[in-house]
Amino acid sequence: MAPWLWVALLLVSGGYFLYRVNVVRPQVLSILFVLWSIHFILNRRRIALAVLCVIYTFSYTAFHLPFIFASLVYGFHLLFENENDWKTPLTALLAMGAGMLASPYFPDNFLMFYVQNFFIPWMSVGGGIDLHMGGEFSPMHTRAAITAHAAVVLPLVIGFVLAIRLPEKHERKTLSLLPIVLFLIFITCFSKRFTEYSVPVTLLFCGFFFTPYIKKYLECREPKEIVILLSAAGIMLAGLAMNSHASTVQVFRGIGPPVLEEAAKYLLKHTEEDEVVFTADWDDAPELFYFNHKNRYLVFLDPCFMYYWNPEVWRRWDAVSNGRMGSQTYTVLKDEFRVRYGVATSNFQQLRNIIERDPRMRIVHQTSGAFVFKLDIAQDTAPAPDAAGSN
């Protein structure tokens, strides 16, 4: 009931959620698949669920979520109602497996599934080595999570109080959705990237949960009281909108124009087709690729892929990028990574200092935010700088 209220709350549900759904990445499609899968699971539309699970495997890395949701609902009903509806989770599992087997990337997609859904989360929370991963893998601070997502937290708190003080009989779908919501909130506490799922699904649950309370209230109230209630709801939404706007501005404030555009265009003019370019940071390659897809870049997004492939190569790359190789930097770049050019943002100052002291390397292009360097292969016979002065 009152779908406009829950849609409005979704639109003011905090800066981080709004940031995630505005990033040009396929997680927006994944959110839609998650919501449709919940609809099919709660209504036991197994054929539609199977079709969705097959398509989901070609769309995003979270294609296992419908199977998890179906299993949670199955366990919930088995525990509290002694109902053994094993067909729904089995349908999701078999459809997911069929989609993976039908993939043109089979069998590599199974390895990809393992790395993205098991290896990467493990390295982000307990791998024992800092891979300089993205902030999305870390949890949000409790105060920031509560204040930024007040539009979600407030209905949850009110619902908890109502469930204790004024218990109502809820529909089966509402109760079936509860374990899914608790699961998503739980994993969001460990990694804020799951906010994109927990926010809309939690508001969906709140919509189901509050329906009997809203109906009961409207049945026994005068029109004047209903107007007062709607006015209070409007004031609450206005306050939540202001809070959401503040957190959204805070999130987007650090986003500026591309810092690697000029570097990418310089490389486009001065490098060979498919030439490998050294990148000092793992998240530089997408921006470089946007402006210059002629080159190949050493690390493309998540550093876990390089580390899983060859930990020693990752260690050497990380040491070069952060200026820990000293006078060996040129040799490692030339003989191990086999590059002529490299690019780094301005915060890699230690690497830049080494390049400027080594006559076999030079800065060939620079802006306020990044620089491009080149190895002078023809001067390979030049003496290396003193190791002590390079660190």
CSV table of all heavy atoms in Angstrom, one decimal, residues 3 26 52 64 68 103 105 120 129 161 167 195 213 223 231-232 247 257 264 274 288-289 322 333 341 348 356 375 384:
chain,number,residue,atom,x,y,z
A,3,PRO,N,2.4,2.9,-2.6
A,3,PRO,CA,3.7,2.7,-3.3
A,3,PRO,C,4.4,4.0,-3.5
A,3,PRO,O,5.7,4.0,-3.6
A,3,PRO,CB,3.2,2.1,-4.6
A,3,PRO,CG,1.8,2.5,-4.8
A,3,PRO,CD,1.2,2.5,-3.4
A,26,PRO,N,27.2,-2.6,-15.0
A,26,PRO,CA,26.0,-3.4,-15.1
A,26,PRO,C,25.3,-3.8,-13.8
A,26,PRO,O,24.3,-4.5,-13.8
A,26,PRO,CB,26.5,-4.7,-15.7
A,26,PRO,CG,28.0,-4.7,-15.4
A,26,PRO,CD,28.4,-3.3,-15.3
A,52,LEU,N,15.1,-16.3,-15.9
A,52,LEU,CA,15.9,-15.2,-15.3
A,52,LEU,C,17.3,-15.6,-14.9
A,52,LEU,O,18.3,-15.0,-15.2
A,52,LEU,CB,15.1,-14.6,-14.2
A,52,LEU,CG,15.8,-13.4,-13.5
A,52,LEU,CD1,14.8,-12.3,-13.1
A,52,LEU,CD2,16.6,-13.8,-12.2
A,64,HIS,N,24.4,-15.6,-8.6
A,64,HIS,CA,24.1,-16.7,-7.7
A,64,HIS,C,23.1,-16.2,-6.6
A,64,HIS,O,22.6,-17.0,-5.8
A,64,HIS,CB,25.4,-17.2,-7.0
A,64,HIS,CG,26.1,-16.0,-6.3
A,64,HIS,ND1,26.7,-15.0,-7.0
A,64,HIS,CD2,26.4,-15.8,-5.0
A,64,HIS,CE1,27.3,-14.2,-6.1
A,64,HIS,NE2,27.1,-14.6,-4.9
A,68,ILE,N,20.6,-18.1,-3.6
A,68,ILE,CA,20.7,-17.9,-2.2
A,68,ILE,C,19.4,-17.4,-1.6
A,68,ILE,O,19.0,-17.9,-0.6
A,68,ILE,CB,21.8,-16.8,-1.9
A,68,ILE,CG1,23.2,-17.4,-2.3
A,68,ILE,CG2,21.8,-16.4,-0.5
A,68,ILE,CD1,24.3,-16.3,-2.2
A,103,SER,N,27.7,-20.8,-21.4
A,103,SER,CA,28.4,-19.6,-21.7
A,103,SER,C,29.5,-19.8,-22.7
A,103,SER,O,30.2,-20.9,-22.7
A,103,SER,CB,29.1,-19.1,-20.3
A,103,SER,OG,30.0,-18.1,-20.6
A,105,TYR,N,32.3,-18.6,-22.6
A,105,TYR,CA,33.6,-18.5,-21.9
A,105,TYR,C,33.8,-19.8,-21.0
A,105,TYR,O,34.8,-19.8,-20.3
A,105,TYR,CB,33.6,-17.3,-21.0
A,105,TYR,CG,33.4,-16.0,-21.8
A,105,TYR,CD1,32.2,-15.3,-21.7
A,105,TYR,CD2,34.4,-15.5,-22.6
A,105,TYR,CE1,32.1,-14.1,-22.4
A,105,TYR,CE2,34.3,-14.3,-23.3
A,105,TYR,CZ,33.1,-13.7,-23.2
A,105,TYR,OH,32.9,-12.5,-23.9
A,120,ILE,N,38.2,-12.7,-4.1
A,120,ILE,CA,38.3,-11.3,-3.9
A,120,ILE,C,37.7,-10.9,-2.5
A,120,ILE,O,38.3,-10.1,-1.8
A,120,ILE,CB,37.6,-10.5,-5.1
A,120,ILE,CG1,38.4,-10.7,-6.3
A,120,ILE,CG2,37.4,-9.1,-4.7
A,120,ILE,CD1,37.8,-10.0,-7.5
A,129,ILE,N,47.2,-9.5,3.1
A,129,ILE,CA,48.1,-8.7,2.3
A,129,ILE,C,47.2,-7.5,1.7
A,129,ILE,O,46.1,-7.7,1.3
A,129,ILE,CB,48.7,-9.5,1.1
A,129,ILE,CG1,49.7,-8.6,0.3
A,129,ILE,CG2,47.7,-10.1,0.2
A,129,ILE,CD1,50.6,-9.3,-0.6
A,161,VAL,N,9.6,-1.2,16.3
A,161,VAL,CA,8.8,-0.8,17.5
A,161,VAL,C,7.4,-1.3,17.3
A,161,VAL,O,6.7,-1.8,18.3
A,161,VAL,CB,8.9,0.7,17.6
A,161,VAL,CG1,7.9,1.2,18.7
A,161,VAL,CG2,10.3,1.2,17.9
A,167,PRO,N,1.6,-5.8,17.4
A,167,PRO,CA,1.8,-6.9,16.5
A,167,PRO,C,0.6,-7.1,15.6
A,167,PRO,O,-0.6,-7.0,16.0
A,167,PRO,CB,2.1,-8.1,17.4
A,167,PRO,CG,1.5,-7.8,18.7
A,167,PRO,CD,1.6,-6.3,18.8
A,195,THR,N,25.2,-2.3,-0.7
A,195,THR,CA,24.1,-1.3,-0.5
A,195,THR,C,23.2,-1.3,-1.6
A,195,THR,O,22.0,-1.0,-1.4
A,195,THR,CB,24.8,0.0,-0.2
A,195,THR,OG1,25.7,0.0,0.8
A,195,THR,CG2,23.8,1.1,0.0
A,213,TYR,N,-0.8,-2.0,8.8
A,213,TYR,CA,-0.9,-0.9,9.7
A,213,TYR,C,-1.5,0.3,9.1
A,213,TYR,O,-2.4,1.0,9.7
A,213,TYR,CB,0.5,-0.5,10.2
A,213,TYR,CG,1.1,-1.5,11.1
A,213,TYR,CD1,2.1,-2.4,10.7
A,213,TYR,CD2,0.8,-1.7,12.5
A,213,TYR,CE1,2.7,-3.4,11.5
A,213,TYR,CE2,1.3,-2.6,13.3
A,213,TYR,CZ,2.3,-3.5,12.8
A,213,TYR,OH,2.8,-4.5,13.6
A,223,PRO,N,-11.1,12.2,8.0
A,223,PRO,CA,-10.3,12.8,6.9
A,223,PRO,C,-9.3,13.8,7.4
A,223,PRO,O,-8.2,13.9,6.9
A,223,PRO,CB,-11.4,13.4,6.0
A,223,PRO,CG,-12.6,12.6,6.3
A,223,PRO,CD,-12.6,12.2,7.7
A,231,SER,N,0.5,15.2,5.8
A,231,SER,CA,1.3,16.4,6.0
A,231,SER,C,2.6,16.0,6.7
A,231,SER,O,3.7,16.5,6.4
A,231,SER,CB,0.6,17.5,6.7
A,231,SER,OG,-0.6,17.9,6.0
A,232,ALA,N,2.5,15.2,7.8
A,232,ALA,CA,3.6,14.8,8.5
A,232,ALA,C,4.5,13.9,7.7
A,232,ALA,O,5.8,14.1,7.7
A,232,ALA,CB,3.2,14.0,9.8
A,247,SER,N,24.3,14.1,1.7
A,247,SER,CA,25.2,12.9,1.6
A,247,SER,C,25.6,12.7,0.1
A,247,SER,O,26.7,12.3,-0.2
A,247,SER,CB,24.6,11.7,2.2
A,247,SER,OG,23.5,11.3,1.5
A,257,PRO,N,37.0,16.2,-13.5
A,257,PRO,CA,37.2,15.8,-14.9
A,257,PRO,C,38.3,14.7,-15.0
A,257,PRO,O,39.1,14.5,-14.0
A,257,PRO,CB,37.6,17.1,-15.5
A,257,PRO,CG,38.2,17.9,-14.4
A,257,PRO,CD,37.4,17.5,-13.2
A,264,ALA,N,46.5,9.7,-22.2
A,264,ALA,CA,46.0,8.7,-23.1
A,264,ALA,C,46.2,9.1,-24.5
A,264,ALA,O,46.6,8.3,-25.4
A,264,ALA,CB,44.5,8.4,-22.8
A,274,ASP,N,48.6,-2.1,-30.1
A,274,ASP,CA,48.7,-3.2,-29.1
A,274,ASP,C,49.9,-3.2,-28.2
A,274,ASP,O,50.2,-4.2,-27.6
A,274,ASP,CB,48.6,-4.6,-29.8
A,274,ASP,CG,47.2,-4.8,-30.3
A,274,ASP,OD1,46.2,-4.3,-29.8
A,274,ASP,OD2,47.1,-5.6,-31.3
A,288,LEU,N,42.2,5.4,-19.3
A,288,LEU,CA,43.1,5.4,-20.4
A,288,LEU,C,42.4,4.7,-21.6
A,288,LEU,O,42.5,5.2,-22.8
A,288,LEU,CB,44.4,4.7,-20.1
A,288,LEU,CG,45.3,5.4,-19.1
A,288,LEU,CD1,46.4,4.4,-18.6
A,288,LEU,CD2,45.9,6.6,-19.7
A,289,PHE,N,41.8,3.6,-21.4
A,289,PHE,CA,41.2,2.8,-22.5
A,289,PHE,C,40.0,3.6,-23.1
A,289,PHE,O,39.8,3.5,-24.3
A,289,PHE,CB,40.6,1.5,-21.9
A,289,PHE,CG,40.0,0.6,-23.0
A,289,PHE,CD1,40.8,-0.2,-23.8
A,289,PHE,CD2,38.6,0.5,-23.1
A,289,PHE,CE1,40.2,-1.0,-24.7
A,289,PHE,CE2,38.0,-0.3,-24.1
A,289,PHE,CZ,38.8,-1.0,-24.9
A,322,ASN,N,55.3,1.9,-6.5
A,322,ASN,CA,55.4,2.6,-5.2
A,322,ASN,C,56.9,3.0,-4.9
A,322,ASN,O,57.2,3.4,-3.8
A,322,ASN,CB,54.8,1.9,-4.1
A,322,ASN,CG,53.3,1.8,-4.2
A,322,ASN,OD1,52.6,2.8,-3.9
A,322,ASN,ND2,52.8,0.7,-4.7
A,333,LEU,N,61.2,-2.8,-15.5
A,333,LEU,CA,60.3,-2.3,-16.5
A,333,LEU,C,60.6,-2.9,-17.9
A,333,LEU,O,59.8,-3.3,-18.7
A,333,LEU,CB,60.3,-0.8,-16.6
A,333,LEU,CG,59.6,-0.1,-15.4
A,333,LEU,CD1,59.9,1.4,-15.4
A,333,LEU,CD2,58.1,-0.4,-15.4
A,341,TYR,N,56.8,2.6,-22.5
A,341,TYR,CA,56.1,3.7,-21.9
A,341,TYR,C,55.4,3.3,-20.6
A,341,TYR,O,55.0,2.1,-20.5
A,341,TYR,CB,55.1,4.3,-22.9
A,341,TYR,CG,55.7,5.1,-24.0
A,341,TYR,CD1,56.0,4.5,-25.2
A,341,TYR,CD2,55.9,6.5,-23.9
A,341,TYR,CE1,56.5,5.2,-26.3
A,341,TYR,CE2,56.4,7.2,-24.9
A,341,TYR,CZ,56.8,6.6,-26.1
A,341,TYR,OH,57.3,7.3,-27.1
A,348,PHE,N,52.1,9.3,-7.4
A,348,PHE,CA,53.2,8.4,-7.4
A,348,PHE,C,54.5,9.1,-7.5
A,348,PHE,O,55.3,9.0,-8.4
A,348,PHE,CB,53.0,7.4,-8.5
A,348,PHE,CG,51.9,6.4,-8.3
A,348,PHE,CD1,50.6,6.7,-8.7
A,348,PHE,CD2,52.1,5.2,-7.6
A,348,PHE,CE1,49.6,5.8,-8.4
A,348,PHE,CE2,51.1,4.3,-7.4
A,348,PHE,CZ,49.8,4.6,-7.8
A,356,GLU,N,63.3,10.5,-12.7
A,356,GLU,CA,64.0,11.7,-12.9
A,356,GLU,C,65.5,11.6,-12.6
A,356,GLU,O,66.3,12.4,-13.2
A,356,GLU,CB,63.4,12.9,-12.1
A,356,GLU,CG,62.0,13.3,-12.6
A,356,GLU,CD,61.4,14.3,-11.7
A,356,GLU,OE1,61.8,14.5,-10.5
A,356,GLU,OE2,60.4,15.0,-12.2
A,375,LEU,N,61.1,4.8,-21.5
A,375,LEU,CA,62.4,4.2,-21.3
A,375,LEU,C,63.2,4.4,-22.6
A,375,LEU,O,62.8,4.1,-23.7
A,375,LEU,CB,62.3,2.7,-21.0
A,375,LEU,CG,61.9,2.2,-19.6
A,375,LEU,CD1,60.6,2.7,-19.2
A,375,LEU,CD2,62.0,0.7,-19.5
A,384,ALA,N,73.6,2.9,-14.2
A,384,ALA,CA,72.5,3.1,-13.4
A,384,ALA,C,72.9,4.1,-12.2
A,384,ALA,O,74.0,4.1,-11.8
A,384,ALA,CB,72.0,1.8,-12.8
